[in-house]
Amino acid sequence: MNCAHFDRLLGYPIPYGGNPGWGTNKSMPERYEPATFEPKWRQKWKEVDLFRTREDASRPKFYGLDFFPYPSGAGLSVGHCKNYVPTDVICRMKYMQGYNVLHPMGFDAFGLPAENEAIKRKRHPWPMIQEYGETYHRQMDLIGISYDWSRSFFSSEPSYYRWTQWLFKKLYEKDLAFRANAEVNWCPKDKTALANEEVVGGLCERCGTPVEKRAIPQWFFRITSYAQRLLDDLDDLNWPEGIKAMQRNWIGRSEGVEFEMRISGPGLGNGDHRVDLDSDSHAPNLTFRVFTTRIDTIFGMTFCVLAPEHPVVKTLLKHAPSDSAQAMEAYRAQAAALSDISRQAEGREKTGVFTGYHAINPATGKPVPIYLADYVLMGYGTGAIMAVPGGDQRDFDFATRYGIEIIPVGAPAIDRVEEVEALKAQGKAFESKDGVLINSGEYTGKSVSEAQQQLGEWIEALGIGERKVNYKLRDWLISRQRYWGCPIPVTYDKDGHQDPVPDDLLPVMLPDVENYEPTEDGRSPLAAIPDFVNTTGPDGTLARRETDTMGGFACSSWYFLRFCDPHNEESAWDKARADYWMPVDCYVGGAEHAVMHLLYARFWTKVFYDLGLVSVKEPFARLENQGQVLAMTPYRKPREGETLDVGDEGILISFAEAKEIPEEDLLWRWARMSKSKGNVVTPEEAVDQYGADALRVYELFVAPFDAEVQWSNEGMQGATRFLSRVFKLVSDNQARWKPGWKHSIESVSDPDALKIRRCTHQLILKVTQDVEKFAFNTAISSMMIFLNSVTDLLKSTDGSGELDIALSEALETVVLVLSPFAPFSADEIWTEMLGRTGFTYQSEWPQGDPELAKEDSVTIAVQVNGKLRGTFETSAGSTQSDLEASAKELGGVQAQLDGKTIRKVIVIPDKLVNIVAN
RNA sequence: GCCGGGGUGGCGGAAUGGUAGACGCGGCGGUCUCAAACACCGUUGAGCUCAAACUCAUGUGGGUUCGAGUCCCACCCCCGGCACCA
């Protein structure tokens, strides 16, 4: 168990920490003493505005960006730092390499989290969120993140949301923003509609409340028009596979056939002419459409299913005899009463009701019964299916329950029909696409793909349908019935006709009001503010404002463009400036935004591309997801009568409580740092105890960037020890330091000096390459190796002039490559110990020379039959025959070869000799 | 169920098909100290009761190869996402 952490949080004395008072010899610090210099550098960087963006046309650019954070009232934890520090390292290195670096930060201030917090605190959201943003800013400065704060903004500032509204209008003009009356997900706790992406398993993504369905007019963005492009362009993105897969899955493209089914039965066609002429269907030809990805199974269609909400059901109800109409009504009521979560509950028995009507299977010409069943969803495809129990497990389950005929239509091969019968006996359908058709008329014996092709053509020739691509993706619901968001810039005239607000009247200001609590009735609180609602339209007549606001994801769909040109008052951004900086070269944030922000931002960027506002089709060329930071968290075993939720191992308790209860009842678990778990370590605490550079180095070193980190005080001490060793190396060798080493470095020929140079250049090459790859842990490891090697070398060598020159190069280099990781320490050593002026940030990143980095002596592994039997040292570049000869001389090797005949010798130069013998 | 990522010492983790376990944490032994802490030095996969030598070791079982943590096939387990999507 992690006792040190436990003790600290309980307020016990800690073994090592708190501004130590030792070693006050300022000019020659022999260890990392952050309190003595970190505040000074923080101050100096600020004074000279060190991180101001450079836009120098002769240089290449690098745009490094972190996800747009909502500044929460709890402030940052060391967990958040794991996001910001790596981006900072790559940005700092790029700057030192001569790039113009754009590394901005701002705040996602509009939206539900801010508003809910404000309501809870009984404060107005605007001053509150500014305060929270300032806390974030201070904490980010504390850990030395190199943001250009002159470009910062809050998305709730009128100078920003004016352009959010302008961009909304651009979408509106292209018919990509529209208002529709739709059944939407309504969160009764947040009292607003939510986008599909914000509903997880039937629950509100933010507060976990089960969502309800409500029919309210809502604003949508037509993201479905871009479904194919959003899918196709994923291929070229340098993003984690998992995120790309989630987006592909969310877009949910499927290819199939959509066709028409004709209904027959009471009151409809087929010789029965008791049609109600007043109904909306005097419908001898009443039809519905079905979508299928398995048109090859059509011969096995033995029934059809309509979603209970399917519009054709209304018509059927009018014509059906009263008993079946009653059954249908009852089923529809039951389905409507079910929440999404219970309707989708796992392992739920399929239910349904026979409508009394039939449809004609176009392949067989036979009538099949039509059922209503809630396992068919109105929101996907046509809300109706052809059901093939022989080829689909769900249809199979339903058919079994309702005694419907099951015809097998697929088999592994035409002569293996009995295997399908065996499956059927087990209650399973043959769903595989690796097989051939059976019981399918003239298509029997054909492969699935062949039959799909030909049956698709047949349906089209018949004129009852066509091949079609379907997407799971739905339009993006953007309106929120809440106060704290960007007003939608639309007015309605007395006839309800929509008019976008003219550009010169933007922004539509969010009114400053005392009371903005959400309402129950599905209307925004803005609707109750007459001064806001009553306005005039573009023609000067009285008009009413739209009172819904935009969800926060609208604001965060273009902020990366505003950062390119944040103070522009004439336009959202200047195209030339956006063209210069875009795309974001490296975008860093958590994986939880996979199908929300990251999809929306891609969509808007594509729209802007089509409008000629930007020249990139994709906003984020490379994406990296950081791992989380976990902390040891106390739980206890459940007591009698207490039950645990599924997946829970114990009951969360406070650290204070953990001190009280007997140890055998305690359970320590790693859990994500969060305020509610009481296990948060703040950057202030970490910096106070260990220092900002130690925190940075620890989080970068302890695990790969994308892996979880288990917070440990021992690990922080390791980081401190490493930094101290850098100080010590420079301090121990200060007498040998030659500031002018560059003038004579090229003429160094002493073998020991060249060994030091080798270490130095191996270090440069490795760190440069690893930062590029986001392999910060191995980059720091290579610095540790460097320290170990140079320390050893210095022990075994005598001083010489050339050695001092090489050592000076080594010292200066290690400080420079350390700079992006531990910038405070680097600047301290740079000026106080090496006597340099300026900042390491403004110094040139060292160039690694692969020739100098090359080893001159190598260890050759000698194998006999693939097993290691010895090694020997030799100079690099030895000939194959020399290597072979030396290998055979090794004692251990000879013993293994005794009595055997050598069949073959494999020699890999500078690596290994493998002798094959038997 | 489907998709994605994984499984390597006591722990976090390294390893372009070529000496598995870099680097660190922890442990053990030592130096320093009155003592401790800090720091430093040495040692640390397992087995064979020292060592050498040898054997075994990267979730399991097969395969390709002179040689496999790495490539191929099958399976097991863990994490993340989606989930009645027709």
Side-chain angles (χ1 to χ4, degrees), chain A residues 613-688:
Chain A
L613 295 171
V614 297
S615 301
V616 292
K617 293 180 181 172
E618 286 288 338
F620 314 124
R622 174 182 180 185
L623 175 72
E624 298 286 347
N625 296 129
Q626 81 278 8
Q628 300 182 339
V629 176
L630 310 179
M632 264 296 185
T633 309
Y635 291 80
R636 64 168 170 77
K637 293 173 183 161
R639 303 204 174 108
E640 259 192 64
E642 287 178 330
T643 52
L644 294 177
D645 286 343
V646 185
D648 282 1
E649 289 178 274
I651 291 166
L652 180 72
I653 55 175
S654 69
F655 279 77
E657 209 179 326
K659 210 167 69 166
E660 306 292 327
I661 72 171
E663 198 163 328
E664 62 268 21
D665 289 341
L666 262 178
L667 297 164
W668 289 92
R669 291 286 126 87
W670 290 107
R672 191 193 139 103
M673 281 189 188
S674 73
K675 202 179 165 189
S676 63
K677 293 204 170 72
N679 59 0
V680 168
V681 177
T682 65
E684 284 88 346
E685 291 174 296
V687 168
D688 197 41

Side-chain angles (χ1 to χ4, degrees), chain A residues 642-848:
Chain A
E642 287 178 330
T643 52
L644 294 177
D645 286 343
V646 185
D648 282 1
E649 289 178 274
I651 291 166
L652 180 72
I653 55 175
S654 69
F655 279 77
E657 209 179 326
K659 210 167 69 166
E660 306 292 327
I661 72 171
E663 198 163 328
E664 62 268 21
D665 289 341
L666 262 178
L667 297 164
W668 289 92
R669 291 286 126 87
W670 290 107
R672 191 193 139 103
M673 281 189 188
S674 73
K675 202 179 165 189
S676 63
K677 293 204 170 72
N679 59 0
V680 168
V681 177
T682 65
E684 284 88 346
E685 291 174 296
V687 168
D688 197 41
Q689 278 191 61
Y690 298 100
D693 279 346
L695 173 62
R696 294 172 62 112
V697 165
Y698 167 71
E699 293 199 338
L700 292 163
F701 175 68
V702 70
F705 163 77
D706 56 357
E708 280 180 348
V709 164
Q710 300 174 341
W711 181 260
S712 98
N713 284 9
E714 290 76 17
M716 287 291 284
Q717 285 180 41
T720 299
R721 206 171 295 147
F722 161 68
L723 290 167
S724 285
R725 292 191 62 203
V726 181
F727 275 87
K728 188 163 190 308
L729 178 73
V730 180
S731 148
D732 284 354
N733 294 289
Q734 216 160 6
R736 304 171 68 174
W737 164 243
K738 302 282 181 289
W741 60 267
K742 272 182 187 157
H743 301 298
S744 38
I745 191 70
E746 292 307 329
S747 59
V748 164
S749 61
D750 174 75
D752 287 330
L754 286 172
K755 279 185 190 164
I756 291 183
R757 293 206 73 192
R758 185 180 310 131
C759 290
T760 304
H761 286 266
Q762 284 178 347
L763 174 72
I764 301 168
L765 292 169
K766 178 74 175 155
V767 172
T768 309
Q769 175 193 319
D770 282 358
V771 169
E772 203 69 61
K773 292 194 320 200
F774 261 47
F776 305 103
N777 55 335
T778 50
I780 290 175
S781 156
S782 72
M783 290 186 233
M784 291 170 170
I785 292 169
F786 170 88
L787 288 178
N788 292 342
S789 308
V790 171
T791 309
D792 282 353
L793 275 171
L794 291 176
K795 262 188 242 164
S796 61
T797 51
D798 300 322
S800 83
E802 289 205 340
L803 208 61
D804 288 355
I805 296 296
L807 180 59
S808 297
E809 180 192 31
L811 297 179
E812 181 154 343
T813 300
V814 73
V815 172
L816 287 173
V817 300
L818 179 68
S819 173
F821 299 82
F824 297 96
S825 300
D827 275 1
E828 179 69 6
I829 298 172
W830 187 248
T831 55
E832 300 300 323
M833 298 167 81
L834 299 183
R836 297 298 196 197
T837 54
F839 303 94
T840 52
Y841 184 72
Q842 291 174 320
S843 308
E844 209 173 306
W845 186 255
Q847 282 283 332

Side-chain angles (χ1 to χ4, degrees), chain A residues 422-435:
Chain A
L423 273 180
K424 200 171 147 185
Q426 291 168 42
K428 286 183 188 151
F430 183 81
E431 290 185 310
S432 172
K433 287 184 185 173
D434 297 326

Side-chain angles (χ1 to χ4, degrees), chain A residues 261-264 288 304 357-361 366-370:
Chain A
M261 303 277 295
R262 181 172 297 194
I263 307 177
S264 69
F288 62 95
C304 283
Y357 288 85
H358 287 78
I360 308 298
N361 179 339
K366 288 184 188 156
V368 297
I370 303 172

Side-chain angles (χ1 to χ4, degrees), chain A residues 148-217:
Chain A
D148 175 0
W149 286 100
S150 75
R151 291 187 179 236
S152 188
F153 51 79
F154 289 74
S155 59
S156 56
E157 291 168 24
S159 58
Y160 180 84
Y161 73 72
R162 169 186 179 184
W163 299 111
T164 308
Q165 293 174 345
W166 185 81
L167 293 165
F168 174 96
K169 283 181 59 187
K170 289 286 153 199
L171 270 78
Y172 183 86
E173 286 157 14
K174 283 205 77 184
D175 193 32
L176 293 168
F178 64 97
R179 192 164 185 258
N181 199 341
E183 214 168 57
V184 298
N185 303 302
W186 175 267
C187 174
K189 181 147 181 275
D190 285 333
K191 299 188 176 71
T192 183
L194 301 171
N196 292 317
E197 290 80 3
E198 291 173 293
V199 179
V200 179
L203 306 175
C204 170
E205 194 242 351
R206 296 217 170 275
C207 65
T209 310
V211 299
E212 299 165 0
K213 294 283 177 197
R214 274 204 188 188
I216 319 172

Side-chain angles (χ1 to χ4, degrees), chain A residues 308-576:
Chain A
E309 305 86 356
H310 196 287
V312 82
V313 176
K314 263 191 189 161
T315 314
L316 294 181
L317 281 169
K318 282 185 186 155
H319 299 299
S322 63
D323 52 339
S324 54
Q326 267 172 19
M328 280 192 268
E329 283 285 19
Y331 189 75
R332 267 160 52 99
Q334 179 197 322
L338 276 180
S339 70
D340 272 12
I341 10 172
S342 45
R343 183 163 161 176
Q344 289 167 17
E346 204 173 339
R348 186 172 158 254
E349 282 258 348
K350 293 196 171 29
T351 62
V353 62
F354 178 48
T355 58
Y357 288 85
H358 287 78
I360 308 298
N361 179 339
T364 62
K366 288 184 188 156
V368 297
I370 303 172
Y371 283 76
L372 303 188
D374 65 7
Y375 80 94
V376 170
L377 310 171
M378 195 56 229
Y380 183 75
T382 59
I385 61 162
M386 64 171 222
V388 183
D392 184 283
Q393 193 58 47
R394 297 155 302 182
D395 298 343
F396 187 99
D397 296 343
F398 189 85
T400 312
R401 178 156 178 186
Y402 290 92
I404 304 166
E405 186 184 10
I406 299 168
I407 304 172
V409 282
I414 196 72
D415 56 351
R416 287 163 70 186
V417 176
E418 69 285 353
E419 288 176 31
V420 179
E421 291 299 332
L423 273 180
K424 200 171 147 185
Q426 291 168 42
K428 286 183 188 151
F430 183 81
E431 290 185 310
S432 172
K433 287 184 185 173
D434 297 326
V436 299
L437 272 61
I438 56 173
N439 296 330
S440 298
E442 61 189 285
Y443 296 89
T444 295
K446 291 189 193 287
S447 73
V448 168
S449 58
E450 206 181 353
Q452 285 187 336
Q453 173 71 23
Q454 294 175 5
L455 279 160
E457 287 167 8
W458 174 73
I459 290 271
E460 284 174 354
L462 210 59
I464 60 168
E466 58 283 318
R467 278 172 287 187
K468 201 179 164 185
V469 174
N470 220 321
Y471 300 92
K472 278 200 272 182
L473 183 69
R474 321 250 190 99
D475 281 326
W476 164 16
L477 189 157
I478 192 61
S479 50
R480 297 288 178 278
Q481 292 68 46
R482 298 285 297 241
Y483 166 72
W484 189 241
C486 175
I488 294 173
V490 169
T491 58
Y492 303 91
D493 68 15
K494 61 181 188 333
D495 301 321
H497 174 79
Q498 290 165 11
D499 287 302
V501 174
D503 286 357
D504 58 354
L505 295 179
L506 296 182
V508 174
M509 293 289 286
L510 186 65
D512 190 7
V513 294
E514 290 282 310
N515 204 349
Y516 50 84
E517 301 252 337
T519 63
E520 295 288 346
D521 62 1
R523 290 197 314 159
S524 158
L526 292 177
I529 304 170
D531 284 353
F532 178 77
V533 176
N534 299 322
T535 182
T536 48
D539 61 355
T541 63
L542 285 179
R544 176 176 57 84
R545 274 194 203 287
E546 171 62 58
T547 55
D548 282 356
T549 53
M550 288 186 235
F553 283 118
C555 308
S556 58
S557 290
W558 73 282
Y559 78 104
F560 43 91
L561 288 161
R562 186 66 178 175
F563 277 142
C564 299
D565 190 14
H567 307 299
N568 196 326
E569 292 182 6
E570 306 305 315
S571 58
W573 59 82
D574 175 66
K575 179 153 191 287

